[in-house]
Amino acid sequence: MNKAPFSDGHLAYDDIGNGPPVVFLHDGTLNRRVWDQQLHAFDGYRVLNVDARGHGESSTPTSEYLRGEDVTVLLDHLGLESAYLVGQAMGGTSALDTALDHPERVAGLVLSGCGTSEQYWQSEFIVGSLQRQMEYAFNQDTDGYIEMFLRMWVDGPQREPHEVDPMVRERCREMAVHTATHHARPNPVMPGKAADTWNRLSDVDVPLLGIVGELECTDIRDMLDRIVSTVPNAKLDVFAGVGHMVNMEDPDRFTAAVRQFLDGLSGRG
């Protein structure tokens, strides 16, 4: 594990291989272990797999920050001018924020299962689940809070827990427990967001690959459709038979799709 320092802490990251740099950015509540099945599948690239602040082995935030700027903290620490960014859920919003606020640092984008950092929730499933999750948080019921996280972002609206790969569900539960036990604070410091993200999407001038599971919630699918239809050089890949955790449920296809996209940009195809 490597550390990239910032003013009041550090970002933990893996640094694997050589070649054009690719930064992997994980989901909220989870950590960089989300990408375990991708870490060694990108020979010819330098894979940088980072824990966001307040997750995994990175520091718990104690002052205001922007997740897009944390990406640039890592790049500056390594002396890199730019990188390809691959983000899932919260990691996808962080990648897009970076592209909007620091476009010169981004060579290409893969966004999986996300909107912009100004996400909005309208579906009955997500709105109701978020309300229940907040009730568990208010009652300090960590188990209930994590189970609602799994229901929303692993099972999704179209499946019951027993219909999901139990290994994927258990790995996500373990990561969520780690976040809750190592980073929870009575008054958490939440990250800031890039401004006016939806109206600035047409400014994104690097190629973008959007990935979404067929069984994903309608809110995410609608937001990702909106991103792909607005960013000038973007395309969408829908994965059949999987939900939000695309890269964990169908790792081989996810890796192949991302690899093909990156190879096309880097000239390795």
Side-chain angles (χ1 to χ4, degrees), residues 15-37:
D15 188 347
I16 298 170
N18 296 286
V22 184
V23 180
F24 283 83
L25 303 164
H26 64 79
D27 317 60
T29 306
L30 305 180
N31 60 53
R32 72 186 196 275
R33 296 280 72 85
V34 160
W35 302 110
D36 280 352
Q37 291 169 281

Side-chain angles (χ1 to χ4, degrees), residues 29-256:
T29 306
L30 305 180
N31 60 53
R32 72 186 196 275
R33 296 280 72 85
V34 160
W35 302 110
D36 280 352
Q37 291 169 281
Q38 279 75 46
L39 281 185
H40 299 281
F42 287 84
D43 55 293
Y45 292 90
R46 183 179 183 182
V47 172
L48 302 167
N49 185 26
V50 60
D51 278 329
R53 290 200 209 195
H55 298 75
E57 296 177 287
S58 288
S59 300
T60 303
T62 58
S63 59
E64 294 182 356
Y65 69 104
L66 298 171
R67 287 209 176 100
E69 290 185 357
D70 275 359
V71 175
T72 66
V73 164
L74 177 66
L75 297 181
D76 289 344
H77 172 70
L78 295 169
L80 298 172
E81 293 185 2
S82 65
Y84 302 111
L85 305 183
V86 179
Q88 159 76 12
M90 179 188 80
T93 68
S94 302
L96 189 53
D97 275 5
T98 309
L100 290 169
D101 286 350
H102 306 278
E104 73 284 357
R105 310 305 297 269
V106 180
L109 287 168
V110 178
L111 307 182
S112 177
C114 68
T116 76
S117 56
E118 297 176 299
Q119 296 183 109
Y120 47 83
W121 309 113
Q122 300 173 327
S123 68
E124 181 179 348
F125 172 76
I126 292 295
V127 172
S129 297
L130 287 172
Q131 289 174 343
R132 290 184 62 191
Q133 191 179 44
M134 290 305 100
E135 291 171 2
Y136 286 124
F138 180 78
N139 294 321
Q140 298 184 334
D141 183 345
T142 301
D143 290 341
Y145 181 92
I146 291 172
E147 180 59 26
M148 286 311 303
F149 170 81
L150 298 176
R151 290 290 295 121
M152 282 188 286
W153 304 120
V154 180
D155 309 336
Q158 301 185 51
R159 297 183 294 187
E160 296 299 320
H162 69 272
E163 297 177 288
V164 178
D165 184 334
M167 291 185 63
V168 170
R169 207 172 194 275
E170 179 59 19
R171 286 174 62 202
C172 289
R173 188 192 68 79
E174 291 173 355
M175 288 185 277
V177 168
H178 185 277
T179 301
T181 55
H182 288 74
H183 296 287
R185 292 165 50 99
N187 298 297
V189 177
M190 303 305 292
K193 303 174 181 179
D196 201 25
T197 55
W198 291 107
N199 289 326
R200 295 167 61 201
L201 286 175
S202 60
D203 295 338
V204 175
D205 63 356
V206 294
L208 183 153
L209 171 65
I211 294 176
V212 69
E214 176 190 23
L215 306 180
E216 176 68 271
C217 70
T218 55
D219 291 323
I220 292 290
R221 293 195 65 171
D222 290 346
M223 285 188 282
L224 196 50
D225 280 341
R226 185 175 171 186
I227 290 171
V228 170
S229 65
T230 307
V231 172
N233 186 6
K235 60 182 179 180
L236 182 65
D237 194 350
V238 180
F239 282 39
V242 299
H244 186 65
M245 304 302 301
V246 178
N247 71 298
M248 294 179 72
E249 287 198 67
D250 197 349
D252 291 343
R253 183 181 170 192
F254 181 92
T255 297

